[in-house]
Amino acid sequence: MKLPRQVFLFLVSFFALINGWTQDKPNIVFILSDDAGYADFGFQGSKEFKTPELDKFAKNSVIFTQAYVSAAVCGPSRAGLLTGKYQQKFGFEENNVPGLMSKNGITGDDMGLPLDQKTMADYLKEQGYKTAIFGKWHQGNADRFHPTKRGFDEFYGFRGGARSYMPYGTDNELKRDEDRLERGFGDFKEHDGYLTDDLAEEANSFMERNQKNQFFIYLAFNAVHTPMEATEEDLKKVQGLTGKRKTLAAMAIAMDRACGKVFDHIKELGLDKNTLIVFTNDNGGPSDANESLNDPLSGTKANHLEGGIRVPFLMSWPGKLKPNTVYDNPISTLDLLPTFLNAAGGDVNAVEGLDGVDLIPYVQGKNNGKPHEVLYWKKENRGAIRQNDWKLVRFPDRPAELYNIKEDIAETNDLASKYPEKVRELYKKLFDWELTLERPLWQLERRFEGKAATRMDTYRKHN
């Protein structure tokens, strides 16, 4: 039967429009490094570390100078970015899973991202995306917390928080089940070669298989987290450094190379014009563990000084974001989920309880306000609040401290005694926020609080 001309033209226009909508949805590639120092990238000013691929990517990106994570350690930071919510809202206190926990509350493999929380992969799947995670999960070891049950179609990586970069076998003993390399669900088989390179190759394979679909890749490197392991080839490329610092630089070379492989493959597949890419880090560098540098920031991983919570952050989206530009207002990794969801054609306003915002209108200049007037952090008795340029840090073992971050990025000039009313105001605001949170589902043994304070004081800048 021959269709009337008007009907035929309507159908042609309709399917063209649908196809256009589909093409407007970007592929999304989210790359997360692990425990990297704030200063340990070329685009962050390092003269010691060589990161040419990320430096090149930075020139084609927006550089966010005040990007924050929602927690100063790996697991809760990832719980926040995966859900777009302060993780304390659902009891994921600022403690990793599993760990040396108090006898009160959940312990062992019962710890994990609560099952009533949807992830960015869940939301993107609803928008028709193929979803995959490569690398570190760290959101619970039990089967019920598995990535393939949290919105990811594919998983290639390990369930725990850290593992060897070399294959486990006769010469490299596996000590924890959660460190095993896994493909999909329950298929455990070790890789060949160096894991950082392997993860990039797996991400590229996924892109090849799904290049005709919109896809979301969460490339969660364990680099440059301990153990300190680098290949001999990469170590030979490092000059002028010794010890852990040299190994760290070699590990950074491998991660940078892996990022470059992914960037190049996106271009080779002809996907570069419609792919949204974000690169950031999960928390501040643990200078005592891997000799990372967080300059010019005070503090390290596991504390709420800037060195524990401020991270490098790059975002690229050709045709949507102007390359080689800088965005200076504070943002949070909580913003990733709403940014990705809106870009994918979803409606962030339909999602209840989000603490993040869609960054695109702010970066494009369509919204001249600040994404966040206030940001919060909390780990048991410790906490911090930043309101505009003022930041209060609360401790269990000393009076609270007050800083003007705009004027004092290194947090060397405590203004608490000069502005007691501002201390009271921010202290009360932080407490009011805490009243909205769930009790922690688990807590670290108390003795580790002392270690956190010692680490903070050791790596604090001084006038």
Side-chain angles (χ1 to χ4, degrees):
M1 182 180 78
K2 186 175 181 180
L3 292 172
R5 178 176 174 78
Q6 292 88 343
V7 176
F8 174 78
L9 291 175
F10 171 78
L11 291 174
V12 169
S13 300
F14 176 77
F15 286 114
L17 184 61
I18 292 297
N19 185 60
W21 283 343
T22 301
Q23 293 305 313
D24 285 342
K25 290 183 176 185
N27 301 306
I28 301 172
V29 177
F30 170 41
I31 303 175
L32 189 67
S33 59
D34 191 351
D35 276 11
Y38 186 76
D40 287 338
F41 298 91
F43 67 87
Q44 292 286 97
S46 179
K47 302 300 181 185
E48 295 180 331
F49 280 40
K50 306 303 179 185
T51 55
E53 298 296 337
L54 284 166
D55 297 348
K56 183 168 61 176
F57 177 65
K59 291 180 180 179
N60 292 304
S61 303
V62 179
I63 300 177
F64 293 78
T65 60
Q66 297 194 73
Y68 289 94
V69 290
S70 62
V73 291
C74 311
S77 171
R78 292 160 196 258
L81 68 87
L82 282 167
T83 60
K85 303 174 184 178
Y86 284 108
Q87 61 280 353
Q88 296 94 339
K89 279 186 170 182
F90 45 84
F92 203 130
E93 189 71 37
E94 199 168 312
N95 293 306
N96 282 324
V97 299
L100 297 173
M101 295 297 156
S102 165
K103 294 179 181 179
N104 300 314
I106 296 171
T107 59
D109 286 350
D110 286 329
M111 300 160 59
L113 182 64
L115 300 180
D116 61 352
Q117 298 301 312
K118 292 179 67 172
T119 71
M120 61 173 63
D122 287 316
Y123 288 110
L124 292 173
K125 239 181 131 171
E126 292 173 355
Q127 299 301 315
Y129 278 65
K130 296 292 184 181
T131 59
I133 172 174
F134 302 100
K136 172 175 170 175
W137 176 233
H138 210 197
Q139 296 298 295
N141 297 335
D143 289 349
R144 63 184 180 277
F145 300 123
H146 196 269
T148 58
K149 299 182 180 181
R150 309 311 298 270
F152 291 97
D153 294 313
E154 296 191 20
F155 171 52
Y156 179 81
F158 57 100
R159 302 187 192 189
R163 61 151 284 155
S164 176
Y165 295 81
M166 311 303 179
Y168 287 114
T170 305
D171 299 325
N172 192 15
E173 182 184 357
L174 174 70
K175 296 181 180 179
R176 301 176 302 187
D177 284 344
E178 62 264 31
D179 296 345
R180 294 181 297 172
L181 196 63
E182 183 177 13
R183 185 182 298 279
F185 180 78
D187 182 10
F188 298 100
K189 183 180 179 181
E190 284 298 305
H191 64 297
D192 296 318
Y194 191 70
L195 184 57
T196 304
D197 290 313
D198 192 47
L199 295 176
E201 291 166 5
E202 289 290 333
N204 285 348
S205 174
F206 177 82
M207 282 193 283
E208 289 177 7
R209 289 182 278 110
N210 291 280
Q211 58 185 296
K212 294 184 179 180
N213 307 303
Q214 264 67 43
F215 59 76
F216 167 59
I217 290 174
Y218 174 26
L219 180 50
F221 288 117
N222 53 319
V224 291
H225 196 293
T226 54
M228 306 301 293
E229 296 174 349
T231 66
E232 288 299 322
E233 292 80 4
D234 288 334
L235 285 167
K236 291 176 182 177
K237 299 173 185 175
V238 179
Q239 304 297 321
L241 297 174
T242 60
K244 287 184 179 180
R245 187 84 180 139
K246 178 175 182 176
T247 305
L248 185 69
M251 295 166 73
I253 286 172
M255 183 180 67
D256 181 73
R257 176 176 64 242
C259 290
K261 289 179 181 178
V262 173
F263 300 149
D264 289 346
H265 207 58
I266 291 170
K267 190 170 184 178
E268 289 165 3
L269 294 174
L271 304 173
D272 52 313
K273 302 301 182 185
N274 196 35
T275 299
L276 167 60
I277 306 174
V278 171
F279 173 85
T280 188
N281 190 55
D282 64 345
N283 47 247
S287 304
D288 56 334
N290 66 5
E291 294 193 8
S292 51
L293 288 182
N294 294 315
D295 292 347
L297 311 176
S298 279
T300 66
K301 175 181 179 177
N303 63 71
H304 296 138
L305 297 178
E306 293 289 285
I309 55 177
R310 191 187 287 209
V311 291
F313 193 107
L314 306 173
M315 181 186 292
S316 170
W317 190 2
K320 300 288 186 179
L321 301 178
K322 188 177 179 180
N324 200 24
T325 56
V326 173
Y327 188 79
D328 287 323
N329 286 323
I331 67 160
S332 170
T333 49
L334 298 173
D335 301 328
L336 289 167
L337 187 153
T339 300
F340 293 164
L341 180 56
N342 271 357
D347 182 8
V348 167
N349 294 324
V351 182
E352 294 184 3
L354 290 181
D355 295 301
V357 300
D358 179 4
L359 292 174
I360 302 302
Y362 295 93
V363 180
Q364 290 178 333
K366 296 178 181 178
N367 188 330
N368 293 320
K370 294 181 178 180
H372 299 279
E373 296 284 345
V374 184
L375 290 168
Y376 302 95
W377 296 268
K378 177 187 180 296
K379 182 188 185 299
E380 299 179 16
N381 294 24
R382 291 190 279 131
I385 177 174
R386 176 171 176 173
Q387 183 174 37
N388 296 315
D389 294 328
W390 289 103
K391 180 180 172 187
L392 178 89
V393 187
R394 187 188 67 199
F395 308 96
D397 64 336
R398 67 198 77 180
E401 297 171 0
L402 179 71
Y403 299 99
N404 185 304
I405 297 300
K406 184 177 181 180
E407 298 175 359
D408 181 21
I409 190 175
E411 296 169 295
T412 60
N413 185 21
D414 179 11
L415 300 172
S417 60
K418 186 175 182 180
Y419 299 102
E421 289 301 320
K422 178 61 70 173
V423 171
R424 283 194 204 87
E425 175 193 341
L426 293 181
Y427 207 108
K428 179 67 163 57
K429 196 172 187 69
L430 175 59
F431 179 68
D432 287 344
W433 172 71
E434 288 176 304
L435 293 178
T436 69
L437 306 177
E438 287 289 336
R439 288 287 187 184
L441 295 174
W442 54 80
Q443 290 184 311
L444 202 63
E445 290 180 0
R446 292 297 294 171
R447 60 191 173 94
F448 291 102
E449 283 294 276
K451 293 183 178 180
T454 299
R455 172 189 268 178
M456 178 189 69
D457 290 338
T458 302
Y459 292 94
R460 189 189 274 267
K461 306 292 182 188
H462 298 284
N463 281 325

